[in-house]
Amino acid sequence: MLHYRTLPVTAFQQNSSIVWCDETMDAAVIDPGGDLDALVAEVQHLGLQLKAIWLTHAHIDHAGGTGELAERLSLPIIGPHTGDQYWINALPQQSAMFGFPPARQFTPTRWLQDGDTVTIGRETLHVRHCPGHTPGHVVFHAPQIDRAFVGDVLFAGSIGRTDFPGGNHQQLIDSITQRLWPMGDQTVFIPGHGPESTFGRERRSNPYVGNT
Ligand SMILES: [Zn+2]
Ligand SMILES: [Zn+2]
C-alpha cells in the first residue's frame, strides 16, 4: 500500500511529501524545496529508504533543495517536464531573489511527460502534464489511494499564479478541468501550499474553477 506524509518546508511553507510503499519501505520525496535536514530526519524516523526525488515544477520553494539532496544521497531526479528547463537554469537567481539558501542547478535524470508513470517499491503513480502555472508542471496521481500531488496547479479555494514568465491562465484552467477533474470528485489532492481538499469540493465552491 502507498502511504505519504507531508511536511511544510521553507519560508513559503511548501508542502513537500514523502511517499512510500509499505511492502518495501522504499520512499520518494516530492518537491524538496528546502529544510533538507528535517526531510531526511522524517525519512529516517519512518524507517524508510529514500530512493528518488520527484518534482512537480522548478520554482525555488519546490525544487530549491533538489541538487543538494540528490548529491548528498545519490538520488535520481525524476521530473518535471522539459518546459521547466528555464526555471531550473534560473534556480540560483530565484534563491537570491527570494532570500533562500543558494540553490544549485541540476540535470533531471529523467524528464516526465503526460501519460508517464513513476514507481516506488511496488506502487505506481500516474503523471499528468498540467501547464499554466509553469510550462513544465506535472502532477502525480495515486488512484489506489485516491490522492493527487498537484503542486501549484490547484489549492483549496484558489488556483496557481499565472503572472510569472511562461505562465498562462487559460492553460491552467484547461489543465484543471481536463486533467484533474477526470480523476474523480472523491480524489483528495495535496496542494503545494495550504490544506488538502477534494476535487469535488473545489468543483462546487472554488471561485476560479467552480462549476466547470
Ligand atoms: Zn510554483
Ligand atoms: Zn509553490
Side-chain angles (χ1 to χ4, degrees):
M1 186 165 169
L2 188 70
H3 297 262
Y4 71 100
R5 182 160 301 180
T6 303
L7 268 80
V9 296
T10 81
F12 289 14
Q13 293 288 287
Q14 190 273 120
N15 289 327
S16 181
S17 291
I18 298 162
V19 297
W20 72 93
C21 164
D22 67 3
E23 284 183 58
T24 65
M25 299 302 267
D26 288 345
V29 59
I30 301 176
D31 289 352
D35 296 338
L36 298 181
D37 291 341
L39 285 170
V40 169
E42 187 65 20
V43 166
Q44 286 170 349
H45 172 74
L46 293 165
L48 307 173
Q49 287 287 336
L50 199 52
K51 292 293 175 78
I53 296 168
W54 297 349
L55 296 178
T56 64
H57 67 299
H59 279 159
I60 184 70
D61 51 326
H62 297 256
T66 300
E68 186 183 335
L69 185 64
E71 197 174 296
R72 220 199 263 184
L73 301 180
S74 299
L75 300 174
I77 301 166
I78 314 294
H81 176 283
T82 49
D84 271 19
Q85 176 74 67
Y86 73 105
W87 281 118
I88 296 175
N89 296 345
L91 278 170
Q93 296 95 300
Q94 290 190 66
S95 57
M97 188 179 306
F98 292 105
F100 277 61
R104 308 178 193 174
Q105 296 176 9
F106 54 83
T107 303
T109 315
R110 176 186 163 202
W111 293 105
L112 293 173
Q113 295 184 48
D114 192 55
D116 279 353
T117 58
V118 289
T119 300
I120 192 70
R122 301 203 173 96
E123 300 289 336
T124 297
L125 290 85
H126 299 265
V127 175
R128 299 307 315 257
H129 181 210
C130 291
H133 175 68
T134 68
H137 201 302
V138 297
V139 310
F140 300 99
H141 182 210
Q144 64 273 51
I145 55 168
D146 272 331
R147 293 293 188 280
F149 300 87
V150 305
D152 288 350
V153 173
L154 179 70
F155 304 107
S158 188
I159 59 173
R161 289 175 61 169
T162 52
D163 56 332
F164 298 112
N168 183 311
H169 180 77
Q170 189 55 49
Q171 232 178 15
L172 182 67
I173 300 297
D174 292 346
S175 289
I176 293 168
T177 59
Q178 295 168 21
R179 297 198 162 158
L180 297 188
W181 289 173
M183 294 176 193
D185 285 355
Q186 77 291 348
T187 302
V188 173
F189 67 96
I190 299 87
H193 307 266
E196 297 181 356
S197 179
T198 64
F199 291 145
R201 187 188 304 162
E202 299 312 306
R203 292 184 79 159
R204 286 191 303 275
S205 65
N206 189 306
Y208 300 92
V209 282
N211 301 308
T212 49

